[in-house]
Amino acid sequence: MDKEMNLIEQKAVFMAASNKLELCEKVLLGIPFDATTSFRPGTRLAPYRIREVSEGIEEYSLYQDKSLETLDFYDAGDIVLPFGNVNECLRRIEDVCKWFLNRGKKVFSIGGEHLVSWPLIKSYHEYYPDLVVVQLDAHADLREEYLGETLSHAAVMRRVVELLGENRLFQLGIRSCTRDELSYAEKNTQLYVDVLMNVIDEVKKKIQTRPVYFTLDVDVIDPAYAPGTGTPEAGGFSSREVLKLMQEMKSLNVVGFDVVEISPPYDTADITAILGAKIIREALLAY
Amino acid sequence: MDKEMNLIEQKAVFMAASNKLELCEKVLLGIPFDATTSFRPGTRLAPYRIREVSEGIEEYSLYQDKSLETLDFYDAGDIVLPFGNVNECLRRIEDVCKWFLNRGKKVFSIGGEHLVSWPLIKSYHEYYPDLVVVQLDAHADLREEYLGETLSHAAVMRRVVELLGENRLFQLGIRSCTRDELSYAEKNTQLYVDVLMNVIDEVKKKIQTRPVYFTLDVDVIDPAYAPGTGTPEAGGFSSREVLKLMQEMKSLNVVGFDVVEISPPYDTADITAILGAKIIREALLAY
Amino acid sequence: MDKEMNLIEQKAVFMAASNKLELCEKVLLGIPFDATTSFRPGTRLAPYRIREVSEGIEEYSLYQDKSLETLDFYDAGDIVLPFGNVNECLRRIEDVCKWFLNRGKKVFSIGGEHLVSWPLIKSYHEYYPDLVVVQLDAHADLREEYLGETLSHAAVMRRVVELLGENRLFQLGIRSCTRDELSYAEKNTQLYVDVLMNVIDEVKKKIQTRPVYFTLDVDVIDPAYAPGTGTPEAGGFSSREVLKLMQEMKSLNVVGFDVVEISPPYDTADITAILGAKIIREALLAY
Amino acid sequence: MDKEMNLIEQKAVFMAASNKLELCEKVLLGIPFDATTSFRPGTRLAPYRIREVSEGIEEYSLYQDKSLETLDFYDAGDIVLPFGNVNECLRRIEDVCKWFLNRGKKVFSIGGEHLVSWPLIKSYHEYYPDLVVVQLDAHADLREEYLGETLSHAAVMRRVVELLGENRLFQLGIRSCTRDELSYAEKNTQLYVDVLMNVIDEVKKKIQTRPVYFTLDVDVIDPAYAPGTGTPEAGGFSSREVLKLMQEMKSLNVVGFDVVEISPPYDTADITAILGAKIIREALLAY
Amino acid sequence: MDKEMNLIEQKAVFMAASNKLELCEKVLLGIPFDATTSFRPGTRLAPYRIREVSEGIEEYSLYQDKSLETLDFYDAGDIVLPFGNVNECLRRIEDVCKWFLNRGKKVFSIGGEHLVSWPLIKSYHEYYPDLVVVQLDAHADLREEYLGETLSHAAVMRRVVELLGENRLFQLGIRSCTRDELSYAEKNTQLYVDVLMNVIDEVKKKIQTRPVYFTLDVDVIDPAYAPGTGTPEAGGFSSREVLKLMQEMKSLNVVGFDVVEISPPYDTADITAILGAKIIREALLAY
Amino acid sequence: MDKEMNLIEQKAVFMAASNKLELCEKVLLGIPFDATTSFRPGTRLAPYRIREVSEGIEEYSLYQDKSLETLDFYDAGDIVLPFGNVNECLRRIEDVCKWFLNRGKKVFSIGGEHLVSWPLIKSYHEYYPDLVVVQLDAHADLREEYLGETLSHAAVMRRVVELLGENRLFQLGIRSCTRDELSYAEKNTQLYVDVLMNVIDEVKKKIQTRPVYFTLDVDVIDPAYAPGTGTPEAGGFSSREVLKLMQEMKSLNVVGFDVVEISPPYDTADITAILGAKIIREALLAY
């Protein structure tokens, strides 16, 4: 067994997942990491809880007329992470992601905080040099550093821009940042303030056929729909709008996907976890 | 006293209810039944809790310019149900409902899970052979059977179709089902996928003056507005839209009404129960 | 030290507040009063909790391109209130408000229940004889008395009308009242039933340059977005709509502001408190 | 109908209660009052919630080998209280209590906050001039005044002492007070610091056959067992010890009883309300 | 594969479980059944949640100086149950249990409500004709029938007595029942009222070497320690006392074990689920 | 201003704290650090929440007949910590602690997770070479490393032993560890398994007059009393027992104190935070 496989443990399974990796192109991967969360931690508990509640929704998507029952996807379990050592955590995420990419898999990740997208996108970028990133988020996450750290959930997209270069990051739904982040975005990213559906056609036109990594921070959705998150930002979008946007993006060439920042300790009646399970189902079926 | 009256007990009262059955055409009836709930039980607690929180809203409806204070309606209390014996439970619901119909009453029921609509609609169908049913719901509830049972919350509307015949069931707001249910619906029901207000005029035109049984599964409303439910389905409608739809339906000949699937254990700050009390007030005043 | 200063204590601080009163035109004031709350008390806990969670949002507003970091505002702490003595409580609120007005300050208050607006508006009216009031609220609060009391959260706006005279009160978003309140409103206030954005231009035209006291009862927002409130009223507006309305009102001459009826015991994951902190940030930056 | 009866409304019923007042010596009375609560309000919701959850316990007490099914007791409902007018509230409580005493009834009250004991004890004292009071409580409640008010939950037992005279108040389980309260107690009451069972024999010997009003503040029990209370005080007693103490007190001549300070908004899984229902069952059967 | 294996599905795994059934004598089995629960349902969710939180405790028991890491036990997953069909559910539980007993396994079950013990004990009784049952419980569960049903959580131990015969059931910790149940117990069982440790030596002397089925209803523990249960009964024992009792019972010949009535919807901070995981660890290591 | 003072920010204040550092020997310090928490994070929120709820208890201790009102202690606020950089966090804690020790202060710290005790004890050890540590805890925290990290909450007391040398660490209340930790403890520490009061005299005799650093992990208390903690361990002690033990330790020469592992997101009705406030009051008055 490859050593990367020792970095993963499987404690629970998403509904309808296959247990034959070799048959599956799509892989579901839990990343229970929240070490740089600054306000309210807890996203590490999302992968397990989302798997638990997945049984509360159908395998079949009425939006897409497709079902997980006829899709071969593998639930790889969660990466084992040494809390307190951020660098080692990020290295493991990158190693595991590359291991799957090396085998021709497409990785669908469940965070964890937003910093987990950094090693994932790094891995993807090696395979797709012309990768663009579509980010749905309430926050720009473009800080130079946060509380002294350059590797932070609040700085993750700045790192991504430094890696990919200018105008390769499309930021939708943003309704909170600092003045400095906004200035940086004006020069380096495609940031759309407080809009979602209105600009998706424009975004698609700009991206065209380039490979897309799609990262969905659940706080782009209003806390009413997704209370279970670390840094809720009022004035957001409905889950309905985001589910529709996900359909719109089917025509893009999405090669990787993650949903991050779901935080079960702050959830109510598991509605955020159940929404997360639905988002994952839609992503698995769509991309 | 009729034996049916022994099947009911009155432990709490909805605001402004009369205690004189003989003066009232409209009857409020609690049905604390959740025996076939598959994911997360608890709807049995709804009738009591909804009565408690009813004091938090006004008797007067600004939408309708009418008040419960000037409406004679009777709160009959809850049906006493032997948990674990589904058939006996359904029989009792049917007996009690018929007893009221025999006396010229119109029954407004509070579930309980959606299966309670089955004995209610059966009773109504005896009195109104040309009955049609309008269902607001996130789920189609059209399974042939569920976990081996034909009498299940997930199969309740299939049973209704078998009873009423083709095209007598109007399903609005549906956003989740299996492929089989969808196929069945295409042949046997009027199922509208993921829409509500846009189709109400069409629905009203099709129904015309026929008697309508209106069943409102609270999960048609998004979990943001109604977290207290057993099987929340993200991507739903706002409570505002549903309250408006209820106004639109005033011009129909609604002869029976139920609101089901409110589950207090999963509620937050009683907002679903309070919404339920408002839905009941609007229904009592409107139909 | 003035005796009014003995009526205030400072136990926690809103993010980015200055500690130099003399440098600040704008003053933040907590009023932990909920003595006449009839349904579910708890709003007294809002000022402290809102300050705690304020660190979860940015100082910078992307909507306004302004930041609290460059705004001089003073957090005065909370008024100390003798629970059980409503009249003394109201007197203290009035005294403290006047003390600040005497020093040329603009007061931004955090309730507490809606009755706190009464002594605040009384104070403001002395300084601004042509004061008009804009009220965002689910309830009209226009009762002659409530449970025998004329000074009640449910009667507060009736008292305001009696003070200011006819047509000086603009009520938006109202979706609940009694028939008597509606009749009173038809003669004495500008009450807009169940609408918000559609009428703001009309309202602004009517108000013109007159000084405005803006009171925002958080229950104008739907309980989905603001579950932490004493008397949630389903069928409301989104926090997004209210934040936009706040921007629209920048062109008015807002001289005083309060946000009331946030109730932490009924909140979930602090989303109402965090929304409250954002509303306060926007108000401080806008008015 | 006597005017006192207009001060009461019956919205829910305790398990096994009779509906014939004339047959019953014992009367259950809800007093949803929390106007002077200083820390966290909510006890007003206790009477209704305790009735709801009473169905979760047996009518039969294994401790006493007696059952509510064979006891005639009447559930009078709740007193209607004008929030915000403390004096009027207290007057109504006193009027209602006297009305029952005039008819030879024994009153078992459910608070509300501890101040409700004041009008109750005043009424009892008129009928029993040699009345003594046994108080189970974490707090001494002996302040001269609290936040400027002499009628406050924190001062209620000081008022009682002033009414009854020296050494007529027995305070058990006390583990929190001010230095001044302790000094006052040393002169005027029988205060037992942080003990319960150890002193009950001594207390009984001192009281002998005198009539006893027994007031049980639920916070004498540790917050682990009774989290649903306004001012939880760690380091308390178990519910087991308190239930045993209640048995010990059967040999006293208990003529009146109340349980106060249960606060549903702070409860978890209704365990405090269910404990309250059990305490009431035991009191009804024992005294 | 045997058809019984189709009745089981494995969605999550208890910490340190082996995945080789053939190597393991001890088998952990989830039974998510709560169909006859009368007060507050939800125990069906316990098996999954307990597995999730098991990672929060150590594999090693300091009480026993043994570790799950060196114990071969198999986590069989959960029985798939058709909600709403009690008889079929019970049949499946019995079939699966017998299948394991036929293979020489010892079954450790996680409920579910207490009725699950009925098919389990029936299976065991076939293998151990002189089986005795030790029941830790707040409630006697000895009703003839409950709400018309003879197969009910409230009647389960009556059925057991009818199966095993007189004086084969030892009931400890009982503090709630009806008068009829007590009378029945006096003739047919060994019921110890409201005691635990004091009588364990006596119980052990009576049982001697006979095979013991040990059923632990979590509500024997006070709701303070185990709030997550359907019918909390105040005045119970501490988890510490129950863990000690479990050690005392190591000298008995325990051949089967279940822990029932843990209800995650009513849990707080998962403390009941975590206690459940610890109870299971201790049972696996001890018996 | 010293640079260490830039590492602290004061957002809220403990009841009755002085604002004059120079007058105070005792200093209260919040350390909102939970970066190595492995199971459920959230302790970082404790310092703020404990200050908020401190107003719910008295300044006066009936146990000690002393009051915070007559004690000069300074609330220094919280250390500002860069999440994600464990080493820098620990360095800051050490720097701030030493800064206070240099000025003759005694530091009372509020965690945060248990790893915060490591830099605190390191600082103290420089000043008190013969320092001994008394640890109240459910867990031994003696791992060589945890998930690859030597600086972890699960290894903190191993580091302390390596610093202080053999038999300088007294561990009370321990009921959970690994076999390796137990072996290590047998050689290097004074570990008392599952006992508290019974051994305090022995511990005091061994320590005599040596300076004591007292670290109280709140999980030594049973989760019933302290549900708000990251790794609850059933079968613990009551808060009453721990408060009594704190009194017993007054005769020791306690030179430093911390209370750690209180986690507000998992608290219920703030009972753990309120217990924490009481523990701090008792410590400030006693040591």
Side-chain angles (χ1 to χ4, degrees), chain A residues 41-42 45 264-265, chain E residues 268-271, chain F residues 39-42 227-230 263-268 272:
Chain A
L45 300 165
Chain E
T268 175
D270 287 325
I271 68 170
Chain F
F39 187 46
R40 307 186 308 184
T229 194
S263 183
Y266 292 95
D267 208 357
T268 175
T272 316

Side-chain angles (χ1 to χ4, degrees), chain C residues 10 13-14 16-21 23-24 71-75:
Chain C
Q10 199 185 41
V13 179
F14 199 82
S18 161
N19 56 6
K20 302 222 173 73
L21 174 57
L23 296 183
C24 302
L71 180 84
D72 285 324
F73 76 100
Y74 179 74
D75 185 345

Side-chain angles (χ1 to χ4, degrees), chain C residues 34-45 80-86 88 92 146-149 151-152 265-266, chain D residues 34-45 80-86 88 92 146-149 151-152 265-266:
Chain C
D34 59 3
T36 79
T37 302
S38 49
F39 187 44
R40 307 187 307 186
T43 58
R44 72 179 66 177
L45 301 164
V80 180
L81 296 167
F83 294 106
N85 188 334
V86 170
E88 173 63 15
R92 289 189 185 186
Y146 190 62
L147 297 171
E149 297 304 304
L151 288 177
S152 160
Y266 293 95
Chain D
D34 59 4
T36 78
T37 303
S38 49
F39 186 46
R40 306 187 308 186
T43 58
R44 71 178 68 177
L45 301 165
V80 180
L81 296 167
F83 294 106
N85 188 335
V86 171
E88 173 63 14
R92 289 188 184 187
Y146 189 62
L147 297 171
E149 298 303 305
L151 288 177
S152 160
Y266 294 95

Side-chain angles (χ1 to χ4, degrees), chain E residues 223-240:
Chain E
Y225 303 83
T229 193
T231 317
E233 185 70 39
F237 299 90
S238 70
S239 57
R240 195 171 171 77

